[in-house]
Amino acid sequence: MISRLRRLPRLPLPSWSWRITWVYLTLMLFLPLGGMLLKAFHVGPADFWQIATSPEALATYKISFGLALIASVINGVFGLVIAWALIRCRFPGQRLLDTLIDLPFALPTAVAGLALTAVYSEEGWLGKPIHELFGIKVAFTSLGVAVAMVFISLPFVVRTVEPVLRSLDMEQEEASWCLGASQTQTFFRVILPQLLPAILSGVAQGYSRAVGEYGSVVMISSNVPFKDLITPTLIVQKLEEYDLPAATVVGSVMLLFSLVSLVVINRIQIWGQRYQGAEAA
Amino acid sequence: MTFVTPPLEDVQPPKWVKPTFTMRLQKLGPVLIVLLACLYVGVVILLPAIAVVVQAFAKGLAPFLENFQSEELMSALRLTLLDAAIVVPANCIFGLAAATAIARRKFRGKALLLSVIDLPFSISPVVVGLMLVLLYSPTNGLFAGIINSLGWKIIFSTPGIILATIIVTFPFMAREVIPLLEEEGWDQEEAAKTLGANDWQVFWKVTLPSVRWAALYGLILTTARALGEFGAVSVVSGNIRGQTQTLPLFVEDAYKQYNTELAFGAATILGGVAIVSLLMKMLVERMLEHDRTTRGAEDS
């Protein structure tokens, strides 16, 4: 396949498609990115560092990055359970479950925020019993923010683990049982190592999404600084105060995080492919 | 022809063996996993989704329909549809162009370019909005001079909303179509070319039909996201009621103004769109799968 492509010196490509791609990418992506970098440079390194590490900003990083980590780890565990149920078990309502998993992708984030606030507020279906039983408020606290993050990052792990789990041979597990391993040993020594790249990749994607999430979190949080204010909301607040430099700086920090997480996710995926390739060979 | 080994029969101990505790636990395992999965999805996803519908129809159908008489809701709905009507075709053209340009070429930095196209997915929507403000803001944007001299209004108006939505949704199409084109190879286009078709004819009669389901899939995802985008749009729109408010912004604003019924009514519309898009996605997925299996059969 590859050799044949190489033999053709000039593919009959419509050249306009190449031009459209670059013009579009330049206007829609490179220009805004460059503009923001330029504005960030204008701030100056000393001021940049001061704004980026101001107590207010640090508090939001702690909430955004910390809660997103908790949410994505929870989803790492339950995502595996759900993927297992979808691939390895047969039960009524399986298709419905499969469809529901995608709902957080399809549902507009504002609607998700409204729905979660309705359910977890003190009057809500879950908020009321939780408040009465444990005396904990969920909506309008950092716990609510975590719940919203769990909601929006749920599909990632399920969807990355599913194809890998499907391609796993039952024969390996049978071999492991035949060699005298218990079920737990088989799971931890045979199955889990093969699923690990997929799980990690899903967790990283979910984490990245949860950190950047705005719509659903802004509705379920009370947006009080140092309590449950997330970084994206801080950017919006700075913009509303016409404090453009501060918004630019905090925005650049988030952009840097997205770029790093993109690279990390890429690495994990390459690692996973190598693992699969080695296994096939 | 592939040789399929029949699955081993479930090896069961004879009936007279008294099941030990661990054996019972092992039998319960799958049941527990399924229960846990259903419970988790039920609490995290299903319950909130039902809550929206229940709240919207709490007082019956008539008050729900009355929501549509709200001028602000209707103007938000109109703006959202206009936004989608511009964004979706623009992104389709880009997605198909990028796919045909990138998928079958081999060049240095191809993987990098693909990551760059995916970039909007990993950037926070708020940051996307911020970037646009920094470029086009009439007071201190980079292009403030040009925009003001031309008399354009981008931020806090419809063009800004459209730009923000385009950036957030443009990767979907390319992302769905590129893998399919890569998998498929170049033979058919080559044949069409040698038979005397020009570039347009090759694209419309060979390339596009071969990726039609993937393209439709991308189209559905783009539309759903374009209709529901909140973060990026909220930063650039200025959120002026009845003017620059899209439906998702309206949901949040109405809720904050304690206009609960309107908020849940608008949320139900958006939720309905989401569910329709999910169902269509399922159908298209099945068609894609079908195409793939028939193609596999032809190959072998």
Side-chain angles (χ1 to χ4, degrees):
Chain A
M1 192 44 221
I2 294 164
S3 62
R4 192 163 2 128
L5 275 179
R6 282 205 186 122
R7 232 187 316 124
L8 282 170
R10 217 185 137 265
L11 295 172
L13 276 166
S15 60
W16 48 263
S17 68
W18 195 241
R19 278 176 225 148
I20 291 179
T21 307
W22 281 106
V23 170
Y24 207 86
L25 276 181
T26 309
L27 281 178
M28 296 302 167
L29 198 61
F30 300 142
L31 201 64
L33 274 174
M36 184 149 137
L37 288 181
L38 206 63
K39 284 276 180 186
F41 274 120
H42 274 306
V43 176
D47 284 345
F48 189 98
W49 184 250
Q50 204 203 338
I51 299 171
T53 59
S54 66
E56 199 184 14
L58 283 179
T60 67
Y61 302 152
K62 216 161 132 192
I63 289 157
S64 272
F65 292 93
L67 289 179
L69 185 66
I70 295 170
S72 53
V73 169
I74 292 175
N75 275 332
V77 176
F78 281 98
L80 180 60
V81 171
I82 294 166
W84 191 279
L86 284 175
I87 301 288
R88 288 291 173 87
C89 306
R90 291 283 159 271
F91 55 96
Q94 196 164 17
R95 286 204 76 95
L96 179 71
L97 188 73
D98 192 24
T99 315
L100 275 178
I101 301 291
D102 275 334
L103 200 61
F105 280 160
L107 206 62
T109 51
V111 179
L114 185 72
L116 290 170
T117 316
V119 170
Y120 288 99
S121 72
E122 273 175 71
E123 307 291 303
W125 293 346
L126 286 176
K128 203 173 174 189
I130 289 175
H131 186 61
E132 278 167 5
L133 282 177
F134 308 105
I136 308 171
K137 275 171 54 167
V138 182
F140 311 117
T141 66
S142 48
L143 193 60
V145 176
V147 168
M149 285 174 170
V150 166
F151 177 87
I152 47 121
S153 62
L154 172 61
F156 287 99
V157 176
V158 182
R159 292 301 177 222
T160 49
V161 171
E162 261 191 319
V164 185
L165 192 58
R166 191 178 290 127
S167 70
L168 277 191
D169 272 334
M170 277 298 269
E171 281 161 33
Q172 291 179 6
E173 285 157 55
E174 277 158 14
S176 148
W177 290 330
C178 288
L179 292 171
S182 71
Q183 287 219 345
T184 18
Q185 278 174 328
T186 308
F187 180 76
F188 283 104
R189 301 261 178 99
V190 178
I191 303 173
L192 199 60
Q194 300 192 58
L195 293 181
L196 202 59
I199 296 174
L200 279 182
S201 157
V203 168
Q205 285 175 34
Y207 182 66
S208 166
R209 173 77 201 269
V211 167
E213 175 61 18
Y214 174 68
S216 56
V217 176
V218 78
M219 291 188 77
I220 203 169
S221 117
S222 59
N223 299 320
V224 176
F226 301 103
K227 189 186 149 216
D228 59 359
L229 188 74
I230 55 163
T231 315
T233 318
L234 179 72
I235 298 175
V236 174
Q237 286 186 355
K238 290 290 174 204
L239 268 175
E240 278 167 0
E241 294 162 8
Y242 295 102
D243 190 354
L244 273 182
T248 313
V249 169
V250 180
S252 313
V253 172
M254 291 225 70
L255 185 65
L256 193 69
F257 164 77
S258 326
L259 293 179
V260 171
S261 69
L262 195 69
V263 173
V264 169
I265 291 166
N266 244 331
R267 290 282 127 198
I268 295 175
Q269 275 165 354
I270 290 169
W271 175 51
Q273 277 164 9
R274 268 197 202 145
Y275 203 94
Q276 298 257 307
E279 183 196 306
Chain B
M1 258 307 269
T2 49
F3 188 70
V4 184
T5 42
L8 283 172
E9 273 174 48
D10 253 357
V11 188
Q12 296 281 348
K15 285 262 165 66
W16 44 265
V17 174
K18 193 168 168 256
T20 59
F21 178 69
T22 30
M23 276 168 68
R24 271 192 205 144
L25 206 68
Q26 279 170 7
K27 258 192 178 162
L28 270 178
V31 180
L32 277 178
I33 285 176
V34 168
L35 274 182
L36 195 61
C38 290
L39 195 70
Y40 188 72
V41 173
V43 169
V44 174
I45 297 178
L46 191 58
L47 209 58
I50 294 174
V52 171
V53 180
V54 168
Q55 290 265 8
F57 293 101
K59 290 175 189 159
L61 195 63
F64 174 74
L65 290 177
E66 245 166 55
N67 286 333
F68 288 94
Q69 283 163 5
S70 151
E71 190 43 50
E72 282 165 13
L73 193 152
M74 289 317 281
S75 104
L77 188 61
R78 272 195 297 273
L79 180 61
T80 310
L81 291 177
L82 171 77
D83 182 27
I86 295 173
V87 167
V88 173
N91 279 345
C92 275
I93 293 171
F94 164 75
L96 289 172
T100 47
I102 296 168
R104 284 152 179 185
R105 267 189 203 187
K106 289 225 171 270
F107 52 92
R108 287 179 73 110
K110 181 175 172 178
L112 183 70
L113 184 60
L114 287 176
S115 308
V116 166
I117 290 180
D118 270 350
L119 205 54
F121 281 159
S122 48
I123 300 178
S124 171
V126 172
V127 177
V128 170
L130 173 69
M131 288 195 235
L132 287 175
V133 171
L134 292 177
L135 270 191
Y136 301 114
S137 154
T139 47
N140 32 21
L142 273 181
F143 294 155
I146 307 169
I147 289 167
N148 288 334
S149 64
L150 288 170
W152 287 355
K153 205 166 173 346
I154 294 183
I155 300 299
F156 304 143
S157 121
T158 319
I161 296 175
I162 290 169
L163 275 178
T165 316
I166 283 183
I167 296 180
V168 174
T169 56
F170 79 67
F172 282 111
M173 193 68 161
R175 190 185 233 198
E176 293 304 326
V177 177
I178 286 175
L180 200 67
L181 279 181
E182 274 182 338
E183 203 174 285
E184 207 153 87
W186 199 233
D187 309 356
Q188 299 194 15
E189 275 87 344
E190 230 176 293
K193 235 8 207 181
T194 46
L195 291 173
N198 63 29
D199 287 347
W200 267 110
Q201 284 169 323
V202 171
F203 177 76
W204 282 109
K205 302 211 165 151
V206 181
T207 312
L208 195 58
S210 73
V211 296
R212 61 187 189 277
W213 295 117
L216 190 59
Y217 193 84
L219 188 78
I220 294 167
L221 293 180
T222 311
T223 316
R225 183 75 197 266
L227 291 174
E229 177 51 29
F230 180 82
V233 171
S234 84
V235 173
V236 294
S237 91
N239 221 339
I240 307 160
R241 250 166 260 159
Q243 283 181 37
T244 63
Q245 210 167 42
T246 62
L247 214 48
L249 297 181
F250 178 82
V251 170
E252 196 228 1
D253 191 47
Y255 187 70
K256 278 195 175 154
Q257 308 296 326
Y258 299 102
N259 242 332
T260 319
E261 259 167 53
L262 269 178
F264 280 104
T268 312
I269 302 173
L270 285 172
V273 171
I275 286 171
V276 169
S277 74
L278 270 186
L279 293 178
M280 282 171 70
K281 226 178 83 181
M282 253 172 63
L283 275 180
V284 173
E285 250 164 28
R286 211 171 290 172
M287 297 309 289
L288 257 174
E289 208 53 40
H290 175 78
D291 260 22
R292 202 164 284 158
T293 45
T294 49
R295 213 169 273 154
E298 275 166 26
D299 281 352
S300 58

